[in-house]
Amino acid sequence: MASAASVVASALAERTVVAGIAASRLTTLGALAADRGVLYGCAASTFELRNQTFAPLLAREARILVAEYEMKRAALEPQPGQFDFTAADSLLNFAKPNGMAFRGHTLVWHKANPPWLESALASPGGKERTLAGYIESVASHFRGRMHSWDVVNEALAPADGRSDNLRNSLWLKAFGPAYIDLAFHVARAADPHALLVYNDWGCEGPSEKHDRFRAATLDFLERAIARGVPIDAYGMQGHLQAFGPKIDQAKLHRFLDALKNLGLRILITEHDVDDSGGSLDIAVRDGAVADASRRFLDVVLDNTATEAVLTWGLSDRFLDPPGWKETLRGYRPRLLPLDVDFARKPMWRSMAQSFTAMRPRLRTSNL
Ligand code: XIL
């Protein structure tokens, strides 16, 4: 018969373990975000997964993954009708066993397309298959396994001078504005389980130019939704500048509220903070990056329509090196939560603070 003291001791020990597990549960960005009811994750590439130190660390920190390059059209369809899902599948097969959600980026973009695409769009009768056929093939391949798809990426460019603010891209030239409606409808039919996202950048900043871009974006989305285009969410890329003009939190708040009032969910899809153009002092740069990220995410996470935050990578280790002039100056980019040795930076801590400080969401099933 155990003594009363030993029963109490074992109960305390168990409570300590449980508390320890609970506390340890909240020691990654993914866990901190999930505890508040949102997803944190990042872009990753297959060569990052081959780093035996990084891969398990990525699996601990991220709860959602997006392919940094491997699901762009140049990678998936290098030759007309010849699809190569090998790299994309390897990322998906890393995400799923690690309990991560997986999002697709991107079905329709004016960049990262195979060299044969423009001529295919110009061939009589080939263009519909070139757009609809591609989306159907790709979205069907991943059907039922995607958290979301960036169906159309960066379709707006007010500088192109159109009254509808659309980018004068190869897609617009081939189809007119209708390519956007076609893309979303085909994606919905191919994978009704995935959130369909319009993804863009240009609405984050404080200037009058950003004001115009925000207005153009809301007008574009409102008209598309009114036409019955199945857009579920706005993807705000979230590329910030550490030493540029500071985010105007009130303007950002109003814009995000307007998106929510359109019935849209909000994803931050490619967050990073460019730390060039200021000091070479690493502590100064890291501090400015963390401050910019905190200022941005505090507003983003205050909107209950925000469901996920992804950084465009997790560690500085895998970033493209800067130009030779910057390299000569000793600059190496430090845009992300972990440094080149996978150590947590001030940005990691500021993101952790943003997730911890946010009002908890009602828990959803996909966390
Ligand atoms: C970039 C990737 O980081 C590069 O590796 C690739 O060569 C081109 O695309 N906005 C986007 C992303 O939507 O797809 C871009 O990513 C960065 C800008």
Side-chain angles (χ1 to χ4, degrees):
M1 172 71 172
S3 70
S6 63
V7 168
V8 169
S10 61
L12 280 174
E14 184 184 348
R15 191 180 304 155
T16 305
V17 168
V18 168
I21 291 169
S24 66
R25 186 171 63 88
L26 302 183
T27 57
T28 64
L29 292 178
L32 288 164
D35 190 64
R36 291 300 192 266
V38 298
L39 280 170
Y40 166 74
C42 61
S45 51
T46 47
F47 71 81
E48 293 179 16
L49 300 189
R50 288 196 283 272
N51 182 306
Q52 295 308 308
T53 307
F54 181 73
L57 192 154
L58 172 67
R60 283 196 301 274
E61 287 284 350
R63 292 288 176 86
I64 183 170
L65 218 55
V66 64
E68 198 257 356
Y69 182 73
E70 292 79 353
M71 290 174 72
K72 292 187 166 84
R73 189 159 184 171
L76 289 183
E77 193 184 10
Q79 296 302 328
Q82 294 177 26
F83 290 90
D84 181 358
F85 292 109
T86 311
D89 286 343
S90 65
L91 284 163
L92 179 61
N93 295 333
F94 174 84
K96 291 303 177 184
N98 283 296
M100 299 159 124
F102 194 65
R103 70 182 313 268
H105 176 81
T106 176
L107 292 170
V108 182
W109 193 26
H110 61 286
K111 294 181 181 176
N113 289 303
W116 55 264
L117 183 65
E118 290 216 54
S119 56
L121 284 172
S123 66
K127 66 181 185 180
E128 276 74 14
R129 182 184 52 74
T130 306
L131 177 59
Y134 175 76
I135 295 172
E136 208 285 327
S137 298
V138 172
S140 300
H141 176 85
F142 296 101
R143 181 185 174 100
R145 298 183 290 170
M146 303 301 285
H147 167 274
S148 53
W149 267 109
D150 289 338
V151 177
V152 173
N153 191 35
E154 302 180 1
L156 292 172
D160 284 4
R162 288 176 55 96
S163 61
D164 57 10
N165 295 301
L166 289 178
R167 182 183 303 277
N168 196 25
S169 70
L170 72 167
W171 301 112
L172 191 85
K173 291 183 180 94
F175 293 91
Y179 83 90
I180 291 166
D181 304 40
L182 176 64
F184 277 92
H185 283 297
V186 172
R188 175 68 92 220
D191 187 355
H193 309 285
L195 273 179
L196 302 186
V197 183
Y198 172 72
N199 193 55
D200 210 337
W201 64 280
C203 292
E204 296 87 351
S207 72
E208 287 183 9
K209 179 184 168 190
H210 295 104
D211 292 343
R212 289 193 296 275
F213 206 106
R214 283 185 279 266
T217 301
L218 290 171
D219 178 65
F220 162 73
L221 291 168
E222 189 167 11
R223 290 173 187 273
I225 291 166
R227 293 196 305 274
V229 180
I231 302 176
D232 302 311
Y234 175 71
M236 176 177 262
Q237 292 184 7
H239 297 297
L240 308 182
Q241 305 293 324
F243 298 106
K246 289 189 181 302
I247 292 275
D248 182 316
Q249 291 188 315
K251 287 183 176 182
L252 183 60
H253 216 292
R254 284 195 296 272
F255 174 67
L256 298 175
D257 282 348
L259 291 171
K260 182 182 175 184
N261 292 338
L262 286 175
L264 292 171
R265 295 144 93 157
I266 298 164
L267 309 180
I268 302 303
T269 54
E270 306 178 17
H271 182 43
D272 57 21
V273 186
D274 179 351
D275 68 333
S276 64
S279 162
L280 278 179
D281 180 303
I282 284 181
V284 169
R285 287 159 51 191
D286 285 359
V289 164
D291 291 348
S293 180
R294 181 77 197 264
R295 187 177 176 82
F296 173 68
L297 289 181
D298 280 357
V299 175
V300 160
L301 293 169
D302 191 47
N303 189 305
T304 56
T306 301
E307 300 193 357
V309 173
L310 291 93
T311 46
W312 199 242
L314 181 59
S315 165
D316 299 329
R317 166 84 68 95
F318 307 106
L319 291 171
D320 294 335
W324 63 272
K325 286 180 185 172
E326 292 281 23
T327 303
L328 280 179
R329 288 180 62 231
Y331 170 76
R332 184 168 174 177
R334 296 173 65 89
L335 320 182
L336 294 169
L338 305 185
D339 72 10
V340 293
D341 298 318
F342 310 142
R344 290 169 174 177
K345 294 158 59 187
M347 182 184 184
W348 187 98
R349 288 189 285 278
S350 70
M351 290 187 71
Q353 288 161 1
S354 289
F355 288 130
T356 305
M358 68 176 278
R359 289 174 291 154
R361 299 271 195 282
L362 292 176
R363 287 191 182 283
T364 56
S365 60
N366 63 349
L367 291 180

